Amino acid sequence: MKNLLRALIVFAALLGVVTWAQSGSRDAEGELLREITDLREEAAHGLPILVEFALHACPYCRVAEEEFLKPMIRSGAYEDRVLIRKLSMDRRTVIDFDGQEIRTHELAARYGARLAPTVVVLSPEGELLSRPVVGLKTVDFYGGYLDRAIDEAEQAMAERGQSEVVAAR
């Protein structure tokens, strides 16, 4: 009986250590996809900003994040192309591109984010650079939809850059 009790205590302790270790890795992963609180701060990087409009209790948002957005960040392939961020529509307010506080539902409406997840790619000035990716239509094609949105944004930024050079002459 004593041996059984000791075995149960050891098992419980090991289970606790494993649970603690996994929760720590989940916390580290949570930081991988940063949540936006200040769009002006993100814009200072000078890159297009891919924004996932999400809700905390949205299972489709979790799939988009775990199966697509976080792997995109981990890969490093998007590092110099686009900032990948999350904007929780559960949050009351964020700082807009002009430095003013704005309600998240107003910001979401500006970019047509009526469903979660909706992914948009914005210029550092807050201009919509590509068609929004609304919902999680087909998991098989979702990564392609995201890549297309990023490609469209890069093309729009390049065209805008060329027109600014022409205007400056």
Side-chain angles (χ1 to χ4, degrees):
M1 188 68 169
K2 280 186 177 180
N3 287 339
L4 180 60
L5 185 57
R6 279 188 192 144
L8 285 173
I9 290 171
V10 168
F11 177 74
L14 286 173
L15 186 62
V17 168
V18 168
T19 302
W20 174 78
Q22 286 179 343
S23 71
S25 69
R26 266 187 253 123
D27 290 344
E29 279 290 300
E31 292 298 313
L32 189 63
L33 181 58
R34 290 188 33 211
E35 190 165 333
I36 292 175
T37 56
D38 187 338
L39 285 159
R40 184 180 53 178
E41 183 180 298
E42 300 296 341
H45 295 281
L47 290 172
I49 308 164
L50 181 148
V51 179
E52 176 208 19
F53 286 92
L55 294 167
H56 288 298
C58 169
Y60 301 106
C61 299
R62 277 194 293 282
V63 170
E65 293 165 16
E66 297 302 324
E67 300 297 323
F68 297 97
L69 299 176
K70 287 181 181 180
M72 289 168 67
I73 295 167
R74 271 191 225 101
S75 77
Y78 298 86
E79 202 168 282
D80 296 330
R81 297 177 63 195
V82 65
L83 296 175
I84 300 174
R85 301 293 188 257
K86 172 182 178 176
L87 195 145
S88 175
M89 293 188 290
D90 297 315
R91 175 184 287 280
R92 289 185 189 267
T93 62
V94 294
I95 303 299
D96 201 355
F97 289 96
D98 63 2
Q100 301 297 311
E101 196 170 35
I102 185 172
R103 293 184 177 277
T104 56
H105 73 280
E106 291 172 20
L107 187 68
R110 178 192 305 165
Y111 297 114
R114 290 183 278 290
L115 298 173
T118 293
V119 175
V120 298
V121 184
L122 307 173
S123 74
E125 294 77 32
E127 180 183 348
L128 190 62
L129 295 174
S130 65
R131 289 174 281 173
V133 179
V134 180
L136 189 63
K137 299 171 187 162
T138 306
V139 175
D140 293 340
F141 299 116
Y142 195 72
Y145 297 147
L146 295 176
D147 281 334
R148 183 181 62 205
I150 293 168
D151 291 344
E152 287 175 6
E154 285 180 321
Q155 183 177 353
M157 290 281 287
E159 288 171 2
R160 191 176 70 175
Q162 289 173 352
S163 65
E164 287 174 4
V165 169
V166 170
R169 287 186 183 168

